[in-house]
Amino acid sequence: MSVSVRIPTILRTYTGGASEVSAEGADLAAVLEDLEANHPGIKARVLDDAGDIRRFVNVYVGNDDVRFLENLGTATPDGVQISIIPAVAGG
C-alpha cells in the first residue's frame, strides 16, 4: 500500500528537506520500516528503545491518532496520509 507521510520540520534532515514522502506498508509498523530503509535514522526519532511510539510524538493515520487505534498495527490503506507530529511544549 502506497501512502504519503507528512514530515515535521525537525525530521526533514532525514528526508533531504522534503516535507512529504511516499512509503509502502499495510500497517504503520511496515510504513516506518520502509521509511527507515529510504531515510536512515528517521525511525529512531519516532520510536523509543522499546519499539513503541515515543511519548512526545503523535502519529495520525488520516485524521485518527494511532494511540486510540492499533498503535503500530494500525492499517494504512492505499493513498492514506500519515502525519508525524512532535508535541510542542510551552509555558
Side-chain angles (χ1 to χ4, degrees):
M1 304 288 165
S2 181
V3 299
S4 63
V5 183
R6 295 182 63 201
I7 306 296
T9 303
I10 197 163
L11 297 181
R12 291 180 189 166
T13 56
Y14 298 98
T15 61
S19 62
E20 191 167 313
V21 296
S22 294
E24 301 283 331
D27 61 21
L28 183 57
V31 167
L32 289 173
E33 289 297 328
D34 189 59
L35 275 178
E36 180 65 20
N38 293 299
H39 308 285
I42 198 167
K43 182 177 159 188
R45 303 293 297 187
V46 177
L47 302 181
D48 63 19
D49 293 338
D52 298 318
I53 296 171
R54 290 185 178 275
R55 183 175 174 194
F56 298 108
V57 174
N58 298 310
V59 180
Y60 290 82
V61 172
N63 293 322
D64 299 313
D65 186 333
V66 298
R67 285 189 171 95
F68 299 104
L69 299 173
E70 302 294 324
N71 284 306
L72 294 172
T74 300
T76 53
D78 195 41
V80 77
Q81 185 173 65
I82 297 170
S83 301
I84 300 170
I85 303 171
V88 177

